[in-house]
Amino acid sequence: MAVDGIIFDLDGTLWDSRKEVAESWTKVVQDRHDAAREVTADDLTGLMGLQLPEIGDRLFPELDADERKELMDECCVYENDYVAEKGGTLYPGLEEVLEQLTQTYPLYIVSNCQDGYIEAFFEAHGLGKYFKDYENPGRTGLPKSGNIKLVIERNNLKNAIYVGDTKGDEDAARGAGVPFIWAAYGFGQTDAPDFRIGSLAELPGLVEGL
């Protein structure tokens, strides 16, 4: 298999922004909903990789659907600006690995996030130059598998692979018909990944051997 594109998940694969996202959401929630409520990084750990409506359902079941959507929309708008300014925790060696990979492979991102979040990642850390394209349900309304397919079609990829850290990522890769590399250092578990990496530094060698 001659890999012609590597598509990455974002949270739990390239960086960990739980602290910053939790801080930004807490600000909005306390201002708009419950002055005593705090959203913590631990609250978000089991929710990373889900689409935003499902995250809202789990975090704020006390609200009706319209109130919950309005609150989540406000959280996401504030979050994008906050994360773009504060950044997140990049996984060790990220930029070095991206720079190495781009010598041979085009790189992409598909994440279950709101529109503007991937751009905030780029702005915070100056890493947009390494990626040819990206997609998210905030722009398309599609599930992750559909967004992977969209990136593949848009970029005429024949042998893409997807790198992610959760069962949802694995299912999305299967749905898109591409091999799945499990980032075992991330937030989740998977059932039967095609390949496994324990750190980003392992990725170039693995891909080269495919």
Side-chain angles (χ1 to χ4, degrees), residues 1-195:
M1 174 185 180
V3 173
D4 62 357
I6 304 173
I7 308 172
F8 291 92
D9 172 51
L10 181 49
D11 294 320
T13 302
L14 301 179
W15 76 345
D16 180 355
S17 66
R18 288 172 299 170
K19 175 179 177 292
E20 292 74 24
V21 171
E23 290 170 351
S24 68
W25 286 17
T26 294
K27 174 70 165 59
V28 174
V29 170
Q30 290 182 348
D31 286 350
R32 306 291 188 186
H33 171 53
D34 181 348
R37 178 71 181 273
E38 180 182 5
V39 180
T40 69
D42 285 344
D43 291 335
L44 298 179
T45 299
L47 305 177
M48 303 307 278
L50 300 179
Q51 291 210 29
L52 287 164
E54 189 172 358
I55 293 174
D57 291 346
R58 296 193 187 189
L59 281 180
F60 308 110
E62 71 277 11
L63 299 177
D64 66 36
D66 289 341
E67 291 174 325
R68 193 158 51 236
K69 182 181 185 306
E70 183 177 349
L71 181 61
M72 288 299 295
D73 286 347
E74 291 184 11
C75 283
C76 289
V77 169
Y78 187 73
E79 172 195 334
N80 284 347
D81 291 338
Y82 192 89
V83 169
E85 178 184 351
K86 302 290 186 180
T89 301
L90 302 180
Y91 285 113
L94 174 61
E95 184 160 13
E96 292 83 354
V97 169
L98 294 178
E99 187 169 8
Q100 180 178 352
L101 289 172
T102 53
Q103 304 306 309
T104 308
Y105 313 100
L107 308 181
Y108 310 90
I109 295 176
V110 171
S111 173
N112 268 349
C113 60
Q114 71 273 16
D115 192 19
Y117 181 75
I118 297 173
E119 293 92 333
F121 164 71
F122 291 157
E123 183 176 342
H125 297 287
L127 299 176
K129 61 188 176 183
Y130 295 110
F131 296 93
K132 299 291 188 183
D133 196 3
Y134 58 91
E135 202 50 90
N136 62 76
R139 293 203 303 194
T140 68
L142 296 172
K144 183 170 279 188
S145 59
N147 283 321
I148 294 172
K149 288 180 182 179
L150 190 60
V151 166
I152 288 171
E153 293 167 2
R154 206 154 62 198
N155 294 279
N156 299 308
L157 303 179
K158 304 301 182 187
N159 291 303
I161 56 175
Y162 189 71
V163 185
D165 66 303
T166 67
K167 177 65 162 57
D169 292 331
E170 181 179 23
D171 292 343
R174 298 280 179 257
V178 298
F180 175 66
I181 298 176
W182 176 37
Y185 52 83
F187 300 140
Q189 298 294 316
T190 59
D191 287 342
D194 298 294
F195 308 97

